Amino acid sequence: MRKLILFFLISFFALRMAIADEGMWLPLFLNQYNIEDMQKKGFKLTAEDIYSVNKASMKDAVPIFGRGCTSVLVSEEGLLLTNHHCGYGQIQQHSSVENDYLTNGFWAMNKEQELPNPGLSVTFLVRMEEITEQLMENITPNMSETERNAIIKQKSNELMQKAVEGTHYSAKIKPFFLGNRYFLFVEEVFTDVRLVGAPPSAIGKFGGDTDNWMWPRHTGDFSVFRIYASKDNKPAAYSQNNVPYKPKKHLKISMKGVKEGDFTMVLGYPGTTQEYLPSMAVDLIEKIYNPHKIALRQKRIDIMTFEMDKNVAVRIQYAAKHAGASNAWKKWIGESRGLKRLNAVEKKKNLEAEFQKWAESTPELKAKYGTILEEYQKNYSELSKYQHVSNYIFEGIFSIEAISIARRIDVLTEFNENSTNEEISVQQKKLKEWSDDFFKDYYQLIDKQTFSSLIEMYSKNVDKKYQTATFEIIQNKYKGDFGKFTETVFEKSFLVSKTKFDQFVNQFSYKSVKKLKSDPIWQLFYEIKDLYLTQLDEKITNLQSEISILDRKYMQALMEMQPNKIFYPDANFTLRVSYGKVADYMPKNGVKYLPFTTIDGIIEKDNPEIYDYKVPEKLKQLYENKEYGKYGQNGEMNVCFAASNHTTGGNSGSPVIDAEGNLLGLNFDRNWEGTMSDIMYDPTQCRNITLDIRYALFIIDKFAGASHLINEMELVN
Ligand code: ARG
Ligand code: ASP
């Protein structure tokens, strides 16, 4: 008997403690749920070392970078590291033909040379607090959703105001566990953030879109910034009088490197995950939504690639568009494959069968949860009809550049005989600026082919009911010849040439609205926009709000059904801790990938003929002379490593931290086999990809000769 009790105790305990590498945990609850497990896996510090409001902690060294990345402070003088792909916009902004920092890299050799970046900010978490109880105070179970939302909104505003009263901080509130709990965040935002350094793209983006989302990886994906503050160390708008920010906390840098199995932790801002979706939603993503979106994007990318390969100028014009388009395209492919391989739908169905049994086990449960799955089914199958069309509109029609021009110039249709010259000239000025910026990177031949191909795909794959007047014209007048129709339209339209566009804008008066409205490209834009607003928007919004009520209930029910399971909330771009270990994996039968790459792999990939694989001469020299300095180990220069930390988009630039709290590297990507982790995590396949910090320091020191930056940092062995 005693043995039996002991057995139950142990298995209960094991259940509570066996947290897999999966999970993006709330810093506030580490003591409650994770710290024991983390320490068992090797972590040597405490939860308060990661997050504390009473003393400086790691969270004070890890701000949000810009709008979608993470970064980490590495010196007492506000020196900040993030990814090259996170600083890409800033690096590009400062680049010109004479000073092409994207191609050649950029290094400020002293603080005077550091470059300001209007619009860029970094955001620190000052504190967070659960406020579910306060928000739910006046909520009753039978309240309508509208009433519920109104009360939550009002109370939220009160709480946010109170939280930052008399300070320069800002506050936000976010729902967690699909609306079951709420947290308030107090933040401090710095806006004087200067570019300090960036390697050439041949290092920072080495492997380009070919290697993107892939392991083994050799990308030196980092860039260096510095936060500036007022003399009293507070946030301040850019000024020459600002001084380097003195952080409460910065990370020391580990020169030890990692071994397989070593504990690693990622602290950062994961953007979005959907781990608690029901099976029908996963099925739709895997088999319908992703495949159609992939096909549409593939078309667009193929057309770009073909023209970019023919013409260097076009390659530069479309570099960012191509990278942007191909990033999500490749992720979707990996995600659908991963879900299939993991049998994700089947696994969800099994859970749902168990759930249904439980939900019918007592009359009370049945009344509360008995129909959730049935309602999910109904709503999702209804939604999918509209969502499919919506995907074709946004991923198809609206991704055509010509349509985006129409979308931009559409503001002019609002003018009439009562409009003043002043109002008009404000818009004219804005459009002129927009046109200079837009047409600089516009190549009509790409757009024309894309237009023709994508509207043809729309017509083939979308129900007749949603084919607007333009599609009838193509069928009747052009006998279904999309190419011929496109030729005519591009000939006739004044939107797809800068000269004609500018001329129209310059000479615009309210009387020209008629001309705009007779432009065939504007017409197609308008038809589709009108179609969306009149036939889809409301239906989609309503169904999605029905579904979000179900999400909330289902989440609550799952937690009730599995009281011993420790749940983590979906990512929502708030600070999280993921932890795991350096780990290899088997991408397919008979193949095993080591968790490390070295500079030898860069040399192996070197190919002057292929843009993505041109290794800079200087790097080859350093390699040949084995000039790795203190950054190498046993004659090797490590570049990247793979580990089992659960991460997603937004985690780019996140510090990857060792058991002692020192910086091992910068997270920048995941492996292709593991991109389904946003929907279902597989510990055997999902890996985050980290740039080994020693490679970044080697590039800063030996390649760029910016050793003054290294001197600011604290390297530990
Ligand atoms: N896959 C990385 C993340 O999702 C982005 C890498 C950017 N590089 C590129 N070649 N597109 O955002
Ligand atoms: N590359 C992603 C980012 O930019 C990270 C990821 O999705 O793993 O945040």
Side-chain angles (χ1 to χ4, degrees):
M1 188 61 192
R2 272 193 56 186
K3 264 200 181 143
L4 200 67
I5 290 174
L6 201 67
F7 172 77
F8 272 115
L9 267 176
I10 289 171
S11 61
F12 174 74
F13 199 64
L15 237 165
R16 286 209 54 106
M17 295 321 299
I19 303 177
D21 297 339
E22 172 176 1
M24 301 167 168
W25 304 97
L26 280 168
L28 212 50
F29 297 136
L30 292 176
N31 267 332
Q32 205 169 331
Y33 298 128
N34 312 96
I35 200 70
E36 248 176 87
D37 184 49
M38 291 171 78
Q39 288 167 345
K40 211 172 72 198
K41 289 174 174 159
F43 188 53
K44 301 250 166 60
L45 307 177
T46 65
E48 288 70 35
D49 291 319
I50 300 172
Y51 175 90
S52 169
V53 282
N54 302 316
K55 61 166 196 172
S57 58
M58 284 180 208
K59 73 142 171 64
D60 300 314
V62 186
I64 294 173
F65 184 86
R67 258 171 256 128
C69 281
T70 307
S71 53
V72 57
L73 280 157
V74 290
S75 94
E76 279 175 353
E77 294 180 84
L79 200 64
L80 192 70
L81 300 180
T82 188
N83 291 145
H84 186 264
H85 80 261
C86 294
Y88 201 77
Q90 283 75 35
I91 305 166
Q92 185 177 35
Q93 255 176 43
H94 293 295
S95 296
S96 60
V97 179
E98 301 78 49
N99 291 312
D100 185 352
Y101 300 143
L102 274 181
T103 307
N104 307 317
F106 166 78
W107 299 97
M109 286 303 163
N110 53 53
K111 296 207 176 74
E112 282 66 53
Q113 290 177 0
E114 297 175 357
L115 301 171
N117 300 287
L120 175 64
S121 62
V122 300
T123 304
F124 288 90
L125 174 62
V126 177
R127 64 182 176 86
M128 63 184 286
E129 179 191 341
E130 175 150 22
I131 49 151
T132 313
E133 250 174 59
Q134 288 103 302
L135 285 193
M136 294 300 140
E137 220 169 48
N138 298 318
I139 304 277
T140 59
N142 299 324
M143 213 168 242
S144 80
E145 212 44 24
T146 326
E147 263 177 289
R148 188 180 194 272
N149 291 339
I151 293 181
I152 291 181
K153 191 161 171 207
Q154 199 211 327
K155 189 78 193 170
S156 294
N157 287 339
E158 268 171 42
L159 291 174
M160 286 193 288
Q161 247 180 29
K162 223 169 87 197
V164 298
E165 225 161 57
T167 70
H168 63 279
Y169 297 146
S170 48
K172 67 183 180 204
I173 286 175
K174 291 212 175 183
F176 285 69
F177 294 108
L178 296 158
N180 283 289
R181 294 169 75 172
Y182 287 84
F183 289 78
L184 175 130
F185 298 83
V186 175
E187 299 178 328
E188 185 175 35
V189 183
F190 287 80
T191 50
D192 187 352
V193 185
R194 303 186 197 169
L195 177 63
V196 174
S201 294
I203 289 172
K205 209 183 167 208
F206 182 74
D209 290 322
T210 319
D211 283 8
N212 190 23
W213 295 116
M214 307 260 258
W215 181 259
R217 192 67 158 276
H218 301 88
T219 313
D221 199 343
F222 76 98
S223 56
V224 189
F225 288 79
R226 191 189 302 280
I227 306 175
Y228 280 78
S230 64
K231 295 233 158 58
D232 54 357
N233 211 31
K234 294 262 157 54
Y238 169 79
S239 152
Q240 282 195 337
N241 300 327
N242 285 349
V243 293
Y245 169 63
K246 289 200 183 43
K248 293 190 200 76
K249 168 98 186 164
H250 66 271
L251 294 194
K252 294 178 188 162
I253 291 171
S254 165
M255 295 296 284
K256 268 197 299 214
V258 280
K259 297 185 307 302
E260 196 164 340
D262 276 0
F263 173 89
T264 57
M265 165 176 110
V266 176
L267 190 59
Y269 285 82
T272 315
T273 58
Q274 302 175 281
E275 310 286 350
Y276 304 102
L277 285 178
S279 60
M280 35 272 170
V282 177
D283 198 52
L284 283 167
I285 292 173
E286 178 190 329
K287 304 205 185 83
I288 314 270
Y289 299 163
N290 276 355
H292 282 280
K293 291 198 301 190
I294 291 164
L296 283 162
R297 234 177 232 219
Q298 171 110 49
K299 199 30 128 202
R300 205 148 58 87
I301 293 168
D302 286 349
I303 294 166
M304 280 193 252
T305 310
F306 185 74
E307 297 299 334
M308 286 164 83
D309 283 347
K310 283 201 303 208
N311 183 328
V312 190
V314 176
R315 203 197 68 225
I316 295 168
Q317 282 183 316
Y318 278 74
K321 293 179 204 174
H322 187 278
S326 89
N327 194 42
W329 165 80
K330 202 163 173 181
K331 150 110 201 273
W332 295 329
I333 296 176
E335 185 173 82
S336 275
R337 281 188 199 159
L339 291 171
K340 177 161 188 256
R341 183 172 173 196
L342 193 51
N343 267 322
V345 174
E346 230 20 67
K347 288 198 166 86
K348 292 263 178 188
K349 278 190 178 153
N350 293 341
L351 175 70
E352 284 158 15
E354 193 191 323
F355 171 79
Q356 195 58 34
K357 229 168 86 192
W358 172 80
E360 285 174 15
S361 62
T362 74
E364 293 79 44
L365 287 176
K366 195 164 176 183
K368 247 161 80 186
Y369 303 132
T371 58
I372 291 183
L373 293 175
E374 197 184 306
E375 287 174 59
Y376 258 141
Q377 185 64 52
K378 200 181 89 219
N379 283 310
Y380 269 112
S381 78
E382 183 79 2
L383 177 67
S384 67
K385 290 185 280 184
Y386 308 120
Q387 188 62 49
H388 178 74
V389 187
S390 167
N391 289 346
Y392 266 86
I393 290 177
F394 287 100
E395 192 52 47
I397 309 290
F398 283 2
S399 75
I400 300 167
E401 288 182 276
I403 298 291
S404 73
I405 302 171
R407 210 172 165 179
R408 182 65 189 83
I409 202 172
D410 189 49
V411 286
L412 295 183
T413 59
E414 278 158 30
F415 291 117
N416 54 40
E417 62 268 33
N418 302 322
S419 311
T420 65
N421 284 341
E422 210 171 340
E423 287 166 341
I424 292 180
S425 76
V426 170
Q427 280 304 335
Q428 281 174 312
K429 193 166 159 274
K430 282 192 193 161
L431 280 166
K432 180 75 184 65
E433 279 166 20
W434 179 83
S435 138
D436 288 345
D437 190 51
F438 175 85
F439 283 104
K440 178 167 62 65
D441 291 334
Y442 179 74
Y443 186 54
Q444 203 201 64
L445 192 56
I446 288 184
D447 195 25
K448 212 197 271 184
Q449 297 174 64
T450 310
F451 184 94
S452 171
S453 301
L454 295 196
I455 59 174
E456 185 167 0
M457 287 173 83
Y458 182 95
S459 112
K460 284 212 172 101
N461 291 292
V462 165
D463 197 295
K464 283 276 166 303
K465 202 160 71 195
Y466 302 109
Q467 311 223 357
T468 56
T470 295
F471 292 90
E472 268 168 48
I473 295 174
I474 299 172
Q475 291 314 332
N476 300 334
K477 209 168 138 202
Y478 292 84
K479 306 273 168 286
D481 188 338
F482 285 84
K484 199 158 141 217
F485 168 74
T486 304
E487 281 300 333
T488 319
V489 159
F490 271 64
E491 190 64 35
K492 230 176 111 185
S493 172
F494 65 85
L495 295 174
V496 285
S497 122
K498 178 158 172 40
T499 326
K500 290 187 196 162
F501 180 96
D502 288 350
Q503 196 178 20
F504 177 83
V505 170
N506 283 337
Q507 296 170 355
F508 182 82
S509 80
Y510 80 90
K511 288 189 184 133
S512 338
V513 170
K514 221 169 112 200
K515 182 174 176 208
L516 176 52
K517 288 190 170 176
S518 68
D519 188 280
I521 293 178
W522 181 87
Q523 280 173 352
L524 176 60
F525 157 73
Y526 183 79
E527 288 166 15
I528 297 289
K529 176 177 129 179
D530 187 57
L531 169 79
Y532 188 81
L533 291 178
T534 56
Q535 296 190 51
L536 296 164
D537 193 23
E538 201 185 324
K539 287 185 182 124
I540 291 178
T541 313
N542 289 343
L543 285 163
Q544 270 166 350
S545 96
E546 288 296 316
I547 287 173
S548 72
I549 299 171
L550 292 171
D551 287 341
R552 193 170 72 223
K553 276 199 211 164
Y554 186 46
M555 183 86 241
Q556 185 189 351
L558 283 176
M559 291 168 119
E560 223 174 293
M561 174 174 102
Q562 300 160 289
N564 290 329
K565 184 175 159 154
I566 305 172
F567 287 84
Y568 63 92
D570 269 320
N572 59 0
F573 208 50
T574 60
L575 187 68
R576 301 297 176 87
V577 177
S578 310
Y579 57 95
K581 56 179 180 295
V582 178
D584 60 9
Y585 71 103
M586 290 175 71
K588 52 190 165 199
N589 186 254
V591 179
K592 187 158 154 176
Y593 284 157
L594 300 180
F596 306 101
T597 60
T598 66
I599 195 168
D600 298 70
I602 296 179
I603 303 302
E604 233 170 67
K605 282 178 180 170
D606 178 33
N607 186 342
E609 304 288 307
I610 301 177
Y611 182 76
D612 288 343
Y613 294 127
K614 270 183 212 160
V615 180
E617 272 319 307
K618 176 99 189 265
L619 190 61
K620 286 198 233 183
Q621 265 171 35
L622 291 167
Y623 169 78
E624 259 149 46
N625 304 332
K626 299 271 173 285
E627 257 183 84
Y628 306 146
K630 55 188 174 221
Y631 314 108
Q633 206 170 35
N634 310 324
E636 302 257 36
M637 182 71 244
N638 280 61
V639 177
C640 294
F641 64 87
S644 60
N645 307 284
H646 191 182
T647 55
T648 186
N651 269 124
S652 274
S654 298
V656 180
I657 298 168
D658 72 5
E660 274 98 33
N662 299 322
L663 184 65
L664 291 169
L666 299 176
N667 181 75
F668 71 97
D669 210 3
R670 278 171 287 160
N671 61 335
W672 212 12
E673 300 83 3
T675 44
M676 72 299 189
S677 64
D678 290 349
I679 294 170
M680 194 181 277
Y681 183 91
D682 176 0
T684 73
Q685 292 299 316
C686 295
R687 297 292 175 264
N688 68 312
I689 301 178
T690 302
L691 166 68
D692 192 310
I693 197 65
R694 295 169 301 169
Y695 182 64
L697 300 195
F698 158 75
I699 295 296
I700 293 174
D701 188 348
K702 302 288 171 187
F703 181 87
S707 56
H708 61 289
L709 298 176
I710 309 278
N711 296 339
E712 275 187 46
M713 306 178 198
E714 271 179 85
L715 315 187
V716 292
N717 275 305

